[in-house]
Amino acid sequence: MSLNEVEKQKEYIKKVYEINKEKELKYYILTMGCSLNENDSEKISGILEEMNYKKTDNIKEANFIVFNTCCIRENAEDRLFGKLGEVKKIKKENNSIIAIGGCMMQEKHIIEKLKKSYPFVDIIFGTHTLHKLPEDVYIKLKTSKKIEDILDIDGKIYEDLPIKRADKIKAQVTIMYGCNNFCSYCIVPYVRGRERSRKPEDILKEVEQLSLQGYKEIMLLGQNVNSYHGRENYGFAELLRDINKIEGIERIRFISPHPKDFTQDVIQAIADCEKVCKCIHLPLQSGSSKILKSMNRKYTKEQFLNLANEIKEKIPNVALTTDIIVGFPGETEEDFEDTLDVVKKVGFEQVFMFIFSRRVGTVADEMNNQISEEIKHIRFNKLKELVESQIEKNNEKYVGTIQKVLVDGTSKNNEHTLSGRTDSNKVVVIEADKKYIGNIVNVKITEDCMWYLKGEI
Ligand code: SAH
Ligand code: SF4
Ligand code: F3S
């Protein structure tokens, strides 16, 4: 049934193309969220390009403007509404179509606010209706009606939508949608629905095609990749082993696994598969067992530390990275010290730090022991200091070593230097010929800077 739906949408793409084909049209897309959101943007871009819109980075010249939203933290909302102020003028000048999609559109109070205060928005679509964008655009062009296309129930999985990838060397592949975990602070299960895994054969087909197109690195995406369930007796470990066999692909990464589902077979598969990077993102969130319980994370401080040790034992030289939230309701100084303690003990390669943000509809938003902004910031800065000192020390150990670096392009700030990443995902800047782009090369690390390393081939 879902195949027919995709065919139907492809017909709409053709119809819109017929309307647009004589015109010079441009689209602008702003991706506001995580890698899953980025991968969705690649699908939105694929659809628009087949409708004869060409990509522009200059919003002022765009005929079609898309905001692909996120709502994981409060600042995401401020950002969207700020942008919408800017867009109103552009719409007046270009008569552009304004479309907003993504996670935030699954929140009812946001839709109400949009309809009330931003009536110039043309198309609102959600995470479960992305595949219907062609139909939405067609109806908009034909009728000038405002379109609100949101589904409350979980979307199905639609294969074979057009896609325009942002990169030519590294590709993102979503393996599952949704989340069942309901961590008490998190909005994702409400806006992305329940877990749905893609079929193994669909994922393997996609990766094989990527390999034929010359892609070297695959990033597997899901909110909780290690609860991937392709079919009976086929989980994340089996998927890693099968992707590892695909010729041409040289590196496999994945985000995010959940510590509670990190089973032996997954650890063993990572250890066995030579293409799977020995770099694991293991979100801690808090080091206090009391806070972890209240977060509904389903592991304790000790279980996390044991898991980290076990991973280190079975996967030599593994690099661990993590996410941490400070200022969760009820977090005492002692709880926070537990977090610092785990950071010290595990020695993470990188820590993504967040200040707890209240999300409407979540359990933690209703808790009556919220922490003051002042204390949240003091703790955030304290954690940041510890993390930075650890990263500095950790970077020193790279100097003098030879690292395998996948060169992915010229560096951001200097066209004459190249940049790439180590197996452990550290950025390395090298002075070398552009011919190395797209290859894995041996690089001797010569210098360590805070956020990157320098090296030579
Ligand atoms: N599924 C992933 C998380 C995706 S969201 C996992 O379980 O690790 C990415 C990160 O955002 C989370 O790991 C968490 O650290 C942070 N985050 C989520 N909700 C938040 C909130 N309400 N306030 C602050 N940070 C939050
Ligand atoms: Fe959110 Fe928890 Fe699901 Fe991650 S596992 S997306 S933090 S509910
Ligand atoms: Fe944001 Fe949705 Fe990702 S809320 S973090 S874009 S899943």
Side-chain angles (χ1 to χ4, degrees):
M1 182 185 155
S2 65
L3 188 84
N4 290 340
E5 178 62 26
V6 172
E7 291 306 316
K8 187 175 129 197
Q9 294 304 325
K10 286 186 174 167
E11 288 303 313
Y12 280 113
I13 292 181
K14 282 188 203 147
K15 287 186 193 171
V16 176
Y17 178 83
E18 283 304 314
I19 300 174
N20 284 347
K21 69 179 177 194
E22 306 287 321
K23 301 177 192 148
E24 263 192 43
L25 298 168
K26 292 186 172 149
Y27 75 97
Y28 170 92
I29 183 161
L30 179 65
T31 305
M32 306 174 97
C34 63
S35 315
L36 286 153
N37 191 248
E38 283 172 17
N39 195 215
D40 284 347
S41 282
E42 293 182 325
K43 292 172 193 161
I44 296 169
S45 298
I47 291 171
L48 293 175
E49 300 231 345
E50 290 198 1
M51 293 172 167
N52 201 31
Y53 291 97
K54 302 233 156 36
K55 191 174 172 167
T56 174
D57 291 327
N58 179 3
I59 189 169
K60 293 197 175 119
E61 61 172 23
N63 310 88
F64 200 112
I65 297 172
V66 192
F67 295 133
N68 193 11
T69 61
C70 166
C71 52
I72 197 86
R73 286 170 289 272
E74 205 175 351
N75 54 9
E77 270 150 49
D78 303 341
R79 201 165 155 226
L80 174 70
F81 293 120
K83 278 275 163 201
L84 280 175
E86 194 183 311
V87 144
K88 195 174 173 181
K89 267 210 298 221
I90 300 173
K91 181 169 174 119
K92 257 195 201 141
E93 280 163 24
N94 300 4
N95 195 23
S96 349
I97 297 178
I98 316 285
I100 314 185
C103 293
M104 208 194 288
M105 298 306 107
Q106 298 292 139
E107 294 187 289
K108 288 206 173 69
H109 67 281
I110 297 286
I111 301 285
E112 292 312 312
K113 181 165 173 179
L114 276 177
K115 285 206 281 202
K116 201 164 140 235
S117 312
Y118 302 89
F120 55 89
V121 173
D122 300 290
I123 301 174
I124 294 174
F125 62 104
T127 53
H128 304 305
T129 45
L130 187 156
H131 66 285
K132 278 181 68 202
L133 186 62
E135 187 174 343
D136 296 340
V137 176
Y138 178 74
I139 295 175
K140 172 72 217 169
L141 288 175
K142 277 289 190 195
T143 66
S144 293
K145 264 195 228 149
K146 295 211 173 305
I147 291 157
E148 186 189 324
D149 194 1
I150 306 287
L151 248 188
D152 264 344
I153 51 166
D154 294 354
K156 294 202 180 71
I157 295 180
Y158 296 99
E159 298 292 344
D160 293 324
L161 289 174
I163 186 157
K164 169 83 171 126
R165 296 190 183 268
D167 195 276
K168 292 195 157 52
I169 299 161
K170 304 193 264 192
Q172 301 183 325
V173 175
T174 300
I175 62 167
M176 59 188 298
Y177 298 86
C179 180
N180 290 351
N181 293 315
F182 289 94
C183 301
S184 61
Y185 51 81
C186 186
I187 193 78
V188 170
Y190 302 91
V191 297
R192 288 262 173 186
R194 296 295 70 70
E195 283 177 4
R196 283 101 67 204
S197 294
R198 286 177 70 196
K199 287 192 195 127
E201 50 274 27
D202 288 332
I203 298 170
L204 295 172
K205 193 174 95 189
E206 182 176 351
V207 177
E208 274 157 17
Q209 280 167 354
L210 287 166
S211 154
L212 291 175
Q213 290 163 22
Y215 283 90
K216 297 284 162 66
E217 181 176 308
I218 300 297
M219 173 71 96
L220 303 174
L221 303 178
Q223 287 301 352
N224 184 1
V225 285
N226 48 351
S227 72
Y228 172 79
H229 180 79
R231 58 170 179 263
E232 220 181 313
N233 299 323
Y234 194 105
F236 189 56
E238 287 73 25
L239 184 68
L240 282 180
R241 288 183 192 277
D242 277 347
I243 296 179
N244 193 60
K245 290 181 209 147
I246 296 178
E247 229 176 283
I249 299 301
E250 296 183 36
R251 275 185 176 173
I252 304 163
R253 299 185 191 277
F254 53 88
I255 44 168
S256 291
H258 194 301
K260 79 175 168 60
D261 295 321
F262 228 107
T263 45
Q264 293 295 326
D265 60 335
V266 172
I267 300 179
Q268 202 52 52
I270 299 168
D272 292 345
C273 296
E274 71 287 355
K275 294 177 186 172
V276 175
C277 291
K278 306 306 178 238
C279 172
I280 300 173
H281 186 65
L282 198 62
L284 167 68
Q285 311 304 0
S286 167
S288 149
S289 295
K290 180 194 97 192
I291 295 295
L292 285 168
K293 187 157 202 287
S294 161
M295 285 178 162
N296 193 28
R297 289 290 290 178
K298 302 194 171 80
Y299 52 85
T300 61
K301 175 186 183 183
E302 288 66 35
Q303 283 168 331
F304 186 93
L305 286 172
N306 287 341
L307 175 64
N309 284 335
E310 196 183 344
I311 292 175
K312 284 180 185 174
E313 260 168 42
K314 299 219 166 106
I315 310 171
N317 293 321
V318 68
L320 294 175
T321 63
T322 201
D323 288 352
I324 290 174
I325 298 176
V326 299
F328 185 83
E331 183 187 72
T332 61
E333 267 319 303
E334 223 185 334
D335 295 321
F336 179 61
E337 287 297 326
D338 270 329
T339 298
L340 298 178
D341 187 45
V342 176
V343 170
K344 282 182 202 148
K345 285 187 173 136
V346 178
F348 295 105
E349 187 93 14
Q350 181 62 269
V351 180
F352 299 92
M353 296 164 273
F354 305 103
I355 288 176
F356 170 71
S357 177
R358 294 173 77 161
R359 303 283 70 208
V360 176
T362 62
V363 174
D365 182 40
E366 307 276 323
M367 292 179 180
N368 53 19
N369 44 3
Q370 301 288 331
I371 305 295
S372 74
E373 289 306 311
E374 194 195 347
I375 291 181
K376 283 182 189 169
H377 280 93
I378 292 173
R379 289 183 187 162
F380 183 87
N381 289 333
K382 211 166 159 188
L383 175 64
K384 188 161 165 262
E385 243 172 67
L386 171 66
V387 166
E388 287 181 353
S389 75
Q390 280 196 333
I391 293 178
E392 232 169 315
K393 241 190 266 151
N394 189 41
N395 281 352
E396 285 170 16
K397 82 172 188 222
Y398 281 93
V399 178
T401 62
I402 309 276
Q403 298 286 326
K404 287 203 180 317
V405 173
L406 173 58
V407 183
D408 42 34
T410 52
S411 36
K412 254 193 223 143
N413 311 321
N414 184 349
E415 254 214 68
H416 303 293
T417 57
L418 304 181
S419 112
R421 289 193 184 247
T422 63
D423 187 280
S424 59
N425 218 11
K426 278 255 172 243
V427 175
V428 182
V429 173
I430 30 184
E431 266 178 57
D433 195 277
K434 284 196 177 132
K435 72 176 183 203
Y436 291 109
I437 293 174
N439 293 307
I440 293 185
V441 289
N442 284 323
V443 173
K444 183 167 183 184
I445 305 302
T446 52
E447 204 184 316
D448 63 303
C449 309
M450 185 74 206
W451 302 114
Y452 63 97
L453 304 167
K454 279 188 189 168
E456 50 198 39
I457 293 190

